Amino acid sequence: MRRLIEGALADLARDGALPSAALGATFSVDRPKRAELGDVATNAPLALQKLAQMPPRAVAELLAERLRGAEGVREVAVAGAGFLNVRVTPAVFHAVLGDVLAAGVAYGRAPAATGERILLEFVSANPTGPLLISHGRGAILGDAVGTLLEAVGHRVTREYYVNDFGNQVRLLGESVRAMLEGRPAPAGGYGADYVRELAAWLGANAKEAVADPDPMALARAAVTRMLDGVPGSTVLPGIKTTLASLGVRHDAWFSEESLHRWGRVSAALIELSQRGYLEEREGALFFKSESEGDDKDRVVRKSDGLYTYFASDIAYHADKIARGYDRLIDVLGADHHGYQARVRGALRALGSKDEKLEVLLYQLVNLLRDGKPYKMGKRLGNLITIEEVVDEIDEAARRVGAGADALRYFYLSRRSDTTIDLDLEVAKKTSLDNPVFYLQYGYARACSMLARADEVFHVGTAALRLTPALAARLDQDDELAIVATLGRFPALLAEAAALREPHRIVFYAQELSQAFQSYFTRRKDDPVLPQEKHTREPGWEARWDWDKTRARLLWIEAIRSAYGAALRLLGITALPRMVRLDDAGRDGAAKATEDDEEAGT
RNA sequence: GCGCCACUAGCUCAGCUGGAUAGAGCGGCGGCCUCCGAAGCCGUAGGCCACAGGUUCGAAUCCUGUGUGGCGCGCCA
């Protein structure tokens, strides 16, 4: 439709009816807010008025004249100050339906590997403790952004940067050692339950690391356990396991320690030094990031001779560039936003284009309990892990995966730049009222109708073809409105990917589900499939309008495809059917969970 | 003090690359199951879009300022 309008404008310019300067204007081509106005609306006349130096209504009239008679256009109306409302022919809707049916769950996707090579770094939580509920946001956001980018044709490497070097890791090792020897944890060390479990396992299974005089040997063994988990432990399932249970995937695990081991850190610093970006002051080595737009210069080597975290970060980003990516995306929590300037500065100082780096910042998750701030601390021993929240919801919903779906929905349904309040009590109490189940229910309902059509009436959509005659049987406004919604999906997906905003997909899926479910409830008197009251009359089969049924089944199949595509992008399970939890069952399940918890405390 | 992010219905949030009468879920009120899944649907009440200026034919949307809240400003990671 946009092409049609652009074409019409170009024609007008060529004919001299419009100044060619007017072609530079940007305008919208959308569905009007009120469906009765038309199928497609554009504000082009309003947007063009300045450049065209004509009143908008005059532009609108010219454009309307040009569009009338164009293929697919049924009716054009000039409205308001200069809007153009267009009604399209049924053929346009049918073409959309054909596209969706042909593409299936791949609907809306661009051909693979047609875009940029992107390195997407996310989570990268310190491997000194289990993943907490607050880490979930970065994990799920990063994963969903990765999926979106892939869907529009980019080649994405998802990477977890493992901070297995430096103070924190050393302290983890020392805390384990202290635990093994019955001493209290060192200052700033770790003393939570999971360290006890970690120490017990390492003491029994990693004798070489325990015996090694190098304290880093034990620290490294501990990090490996934090990532892989302690077999059979619920306290320490392992970061990789937790991410897998959320459906979060990484392609690569990049070790910070390896940068040091292979001399990458010193090499990067030498490079900076040769370019005149390093300066020694008071015994420490500074990177002159202030000259590259940072607030102040940053230390890369402390006066005690040890490199800072930032030093490895320079080397890490230099390495990413060297690996040949077109774009580096770092998904970071808002508490790291200060990093951008210095890392950007370092890339620029190393002679790379800093525009390659894109920082996707997400605001933090505020934990509340009964409306009051809930402070978590590794030393307080009150850590809320992803694992435990997910398990609890799984149990309440009586399905493994329900917790991951609920958490993914929770995090993905909000824009990344707003702070989230997560009330643990409310989250538990309302886990079964989570809107994610609404999304899944709509999908299950579509599947269930298709299955019933196939099994009971032997009308499988796989064997059906959308012929023009069949397509013409879809003529109701609400049916065509949903087709129009399906038609929007590819553009929406492209936009969501470009803006790195998965929440747009959530709201789209919600809208689709709502329109779909509303349709069936409102049309109880005009069912797609024959009902009992029809089938008990002899000879009903000859009287039933099977073509209408076939047309609508294909329509449902198309909805199911787009719907499934959206859920897949979000990483939310598309369930072909959902086990009904009646009110008693839901209460019972919720109650059982509470009881269990009390028993466990 | 400086920087980043936000402020939209009672609550949680969409809408923000300017466009027509600002939307959804939850909660409130009132309806709808002998028939395609009621984890559903329909209706209804509820809004100085934080505030003040500015730009514009047009501002929830862009700019400036103010207020409130979150986060950051280590020779920590």
Side-chain angles (χ1 to χ4, degrees), chain A residues 259-270:
Chain A
L259 288 167
H260 290 276
R261 189 155 27 94
W262 296 100
R264 289 267 164 65
V265 177
S266 46
L269 293 185
I270 287 167

Side-chain angles (χ1 to χ4, degrees), chain A residues 22-57:
Chain A
L23 297 182
T26 58
F27 54 88
S28 68
V29 179
D30 264 321
R31 278 171 62 72
K33 280 188 182 163
R34 282 175 296 159
E36 67 273 17
L37 289 176
D39 302 313
V40 181
T42 178
N43 67 349
L46 288 160
L48 264 60
Q49 57 175 314
K50 265 244 170 74
L51 291 168
Q53 296 186 316
M54 289 168 76
R57 289 201 65 110

Side-chain angles (χ1 to χ4, degrees), chain A residues 68-204:
Chain A
R68 279 191 261 265
E71 200 189 331
V73 174
R74 184 154 60 102
E75 205 181 300
V76 186
V78 178
F83 288 95
L84 223 47
N85 294 317
V86 181
R87 285 198 183 278
V88 302
T89 60
V92 172
F93 289 109
H94 302 152
V96 168
L97 214 48
D99 287 349
V100 186
L101 288 170
V105 288
Y107 180 58
R109 299 174 73 93
T114 50
E116 300 176 316
R117 293 192 58 209
I118 298 177
L119 187 119
L120 179 69
E121 184 210 330
F122 63 110
V123 190
S124 302
N126 270 343
T128 53
L131 285 184
L132 305 177
I133 188 68
S134 41
H135 288 119
R137 189 173 194 183
I140 289 168
L141 175 69
D143 184 70
V145 167
T147 308
L148 278 179
L149 293 171
E150 282 158 358
V152 297
H154 299 302
R155 285 165 289 177
V156 181
T157 302
R158 300 138 173 260
E159 194 158 281
Y160 188 120
Y161 181 53
V162 182
N163 302 129
D164 53 355
F165 185 87
N167 255 330
Q168 301 305 315
V169 175
R170 189 176 46 76
L171 278 168
L172 178 67
E174 286 172 7
S175 303
V176 167
R177 167 121 15 230
M179 192 74 82
L180 283 171
E181 297 172 358
R183 289 183 284 111
Y190 303 86
D193 283 351
Y194 70 85
V195 179
R196 190 180 316 281
E197 198 148 327
L198 183 60
W201 193 89
L202 289 170

